Amino acid sequence: MANPSVRGGAIVLLVLAALLVSAYALGQSLVPDPPRQRHTGVATGATQAHPTASPSRPVPTTPSAQAERQPQLDPDSNGPYGSRVSTGSTRVALTFDDGPDPVYTPQVLALLRKYDVKATFCVVGVNATNHPDLIQAIVAEGHTLCNHSWNHDMTLGKRPAAVIRSDLMRTNAAIRAAVPNARIAYFRQPGGAWTYPVVSTCEQLGMTPLHWTVDPSDWKAPGAARITATVLGQTAPGSIVLMHDAGGNRAGTVQALQHLLPVLMTRFQLEALPTGTT
């Protein structure tokens, strides 16, 4: 039979063990569960997107941003039907349409000569036939020639290809009747009414379709002040400036040139467009 004192000690140990287990369980129940991580769908770490970036409008890279700020000097960029709208350099080209005219062309030539500026003359075939001496003067003074159709036909581009070709060839022949072997590197469609057939035809004949960048609408005779303000306000590096030395009263254009030439020369290099090999 067990000693009463031993049995009592065992009971005490059992009670203490039970109390310890109960205390541990109570302590565990009082410790809060660790917080659950919420899934936001946003990556973390080094690959996280910039907070200001938008998936639909990405932030441009530095080279692209710089390119948008640089002037576009591609001579064929943005021209109607691929026509040329820039000199392709920082230089500026003055062009004169609809001549030659016996009253105004000599005045324009005299001003260009005074400032030693070379320009491009887009001549009409019938005028070249009537004033071959002025075609000769244009070439002799180092200016570039441009075909401007036989009779300033603004609807030429809508005519059959054979008619367009005949018109341009007739005009070239009239120019070369005055200056044999003259280089005619460009064609300008009257009114800028370009079409694919007229562009294709002039290129087949070895001429570049020539448009413009700055148009002061001097053919409307708005006055020298307005012509001057438009040209000075809009001309930038690479510009091709459209003016007229014939086709009406061009006194305003001549007067505007007296102010324009010395100012433009302080801002840009002025050039006649390259003549090419045509």
Side-chain angles (χ1 to χ4, degrees):
M1 188 173 185
N3 190 323
S5 60
V6 173
R7 187 169 52 185
I11 293 172
V12 170
L13 289 174
L14 289 173
V15 171
L16 288 174
L19 288 174
L20 288 173
V21 172
S22 298
Y24 177 82
L26 179 61
Q28 288 293 97
S29 65
L30 293 177
V31 175
D33 291 335
R36 295 182 179 180
Q37 184 176 6
R38 297 178 59 188
H39 180 66
T40 62
V42 178
T44 60
T47 60
Q48 184 174 356
H50 192 280
T52 60
S54 169
S56 60
R57 298 183 61 185
V59 177
T61 62
T62 300
S64 297
Q66 289 179 344
E68 292 177 357
R69 293 192 295 268
Q70 293 297 321
Q72 299 298 314
L73 299 179
D74 179 0
D76 298 320
S77 64
N78 301 322
Y81 296 90
S83 56
R84 182 169 184 164
V85 292
S86 169
T87 62
S89 70
T90 57
R91 297 181 179 183
V92 167
L94 302 182
T95 65
F96 297 92
D97 283 16
D98 299 356
D101 178 272
V103 175
Y104 299 109
T105 301
Q107 296 181 55
V108 171
L109 287 173
L111 283 169
L112 295 174
R113 189 185 316 118
K114 176 181 177 180
Y115 291 98
D116 194 23
V117 170
K118 307 304 180 185
T120 300
F121 286 82
C122 300
V123 302
V124 173
V126 66
N127 291 342
T129 298
N130 292 334
H131 307 287
D133 57 318
L134 293 177
I135 298 295
Q136 294 166 2
I138 289 169
V139 173
E141 297 192 21
H143 304 293
T144 297
L145 288 172
C146 169
N147 183 320
H148 198 37
S149 82
W150 174 253
N151 197 26
H152 202 271
D153 185 358
M154 294 179 64
T155 63
L156 180 62
K158 297 181 179 180
R159 302 188 185 280
V163 174
I164 298 172
R165 186 180 185 87
S166 176
D167 186 292
L168 270 56
M169 291 181 67
R170 185 183 183 188
T171 303
N172 282 351
I175 295 170
R176 288 179 174 135
V179 181
N181 301 316
R183 292 182 176 180
I184 309 167
Y186 300 94
F187 168 77
R188 175 172 280 167
Q189 166 62 29
W194 296 100
T195 63
Y196 284 119
V198 77
V199 167
S200 176
T201 301
C202 82
E203 289 179 337
Q204 289 171 13
L205 293 174
M207 295 180 288
T208 297
L210 179 64
H211 200 63
W212 57 81
T213 316
V214 179
D215 178 10
S217 297
D218 65 327
W219 62 273
K220 296 180 180 179
R226 182 167 295 182
I227 295 170
T228 301
T230 300
V231 172
L232 292 181
Q234 296 183 12
T235 301
S239 291
I240 297 173
V241 181
L242 167 66
M243 288 184 284
H244 296 77
D245 63 322
N249 186 334
R250 300 298 172 231
T253 299
V254 172
Q255 185 179 353
L257 277 175
Q258 296 173 4
H259 302 286
L260 284 170
L261 288 173
V263 176
L264 289 174
M265 291 180 67
T266 65
R267 300 181 181 180
F268 312 100
Q269 284 185 284
L270 305 181
E271 72 168 358
L273 289 166
T275 57
T277 58
T278 302

